[in-house]
Amino acid sequence: MAESADTEQLLDSFKKFAIHGDTKASGKEMNGKNWAKLCKDCKVIDGKNVTGTDVDIVFTKVKAKTSRVITYEEFQKALEELASKRFKGQSKEEALQSIYKLIEGKEPANMGVTKVAKTAAVDRLTDTTKYTGSHKERFDESGKGRGKGGREELVENTGYVGAYKEAGTYDEKTKAK
């Protein structure tokens, strides 16, 4: 029971890394870039026993000759290859379990994600209350954009000139008389 839960977590991690960064990926196959990311993020690459080059060599060894991706079965073969290299003092089975423990339940880390800049210059440039001229027309009092109405001059067929302040009051004036 415990082993099936472990393989389920391993498969889940495989799928998460397989679709990382690719909107068209199904999660059934993993490319070399995501394989290297998995090994780096899950600390399979330690810099001494396993390097980035070793990871790339193992990927090339387990994939089919004409293929550019590996399946889950090939992924497990690749982990077997790396396990003995990463955990040299352990038996083959113990090393495999140790490498599975490194990967199980992990997901891709987003390192170096661009943050939104909040500096005085950006605040000043995006403050709609400080806009002048025709740019001021593009936003309402709350600072929300008016869309097409703010960019194009839309014609109102009301019969009044554009800046007439008492537009729409004619009927009220004639009824009052």
Side-chain angles (χ1 to χ4, degrees):
M1 179 68 189
E3 197 164 307
S4 68
D6 291 346
T7 55
E8 191 67 36
Q9 284 184 325
L10 189 67
L11 178 63
D12 188 48
S13 291
F14 172 82
K15 286 180 180 178
K16 285 178 182 173
F17 276 96
I19 62 171
H20 180 73
D22 188 4
T23 55
K24 296 179 191 95
S26 63
K28 294 184 172 91
E29 297 174 325
M30 181 183 292
N31 61 24
K33 176 184 71 81
N34 289 357
W35 163 248
K37 181 166 181 55
L38 178 138
C39 292
K40 186 178 172 200
D41 288 358
C42 296
K43 299 190 177 27
V44 173
I45 297 175
D46 61 357
K48 294 178 184 171
N49 298 330
V50 179
T51 63
T53 308
D54 295 328
V55 167
D56 292 337
I57 290 169
V58 167
F59 180 83
T60 306
K61 198 184 289 185
V62 297
K63 73 175 179 62
K65 284 264 190 246
T66 58
S67 179
R68 304 177 100 196
V69 293
I70 58 172
T71 62
Y72 181 66
E73 289 75 28
E74 292 167 332
F75 167 74
Q76 288 179 314
K77 287 179 196 167
L79 288 180
E80 287 174 23
E81 294 255 346
L82 287 177
S84 58
K85 196 167 189 157
R86 173 75 163 81
F87 300 101
K88 286 185 176 171
Q90 298 177 353
S91 71
K92 194 169 190 171
E93 193 59 39
E94 288 174 340
L96 193 59
Q97 289 305 315
S98 297
I99 207 162
Y100 283 174
K101 280 186 177 49
L102 285 176
I103 297 170
E104 287 168 357
K106 297 274 176 42
E107 36 187 80
N110 292 326
M111 295 178 190
V113 176
T114 306
K115 307 267 187 299
V116 175
K118 272 293 185 188
T119 60
V122 173
D123 286 342
R124 190 174 63 250
L125 291 171
T126 57
D127 186 4
T128 58
T129 60
K130 294 191 177 17
Y131 289 175
T132 60
S134 64
H135 302 292
K136 186 188 275 187
E137 305 294 322
R138 294 181 58 203
F139 300 92
D140 61 10
E141 295 76 37
S142 66
K144 188 168 176 2
R146 290 187 179 152
K148 192 173 183 180
R151 291 189 304 273
E152 295 178 7
E153 199 164 321
L154 301 176
V155 179
E156 295 177 20
N157 293 324
T158 60
Y160 293 97
V161 290
Y164 186 62
K165 290 183 175 48
E166 297 179 30
T169 60
Y170 178 76
D171 291 332
E172 294 169 15
K173 287 180 184 176
T174 55
K175 287 179 186 174
K177 289 183 185 179

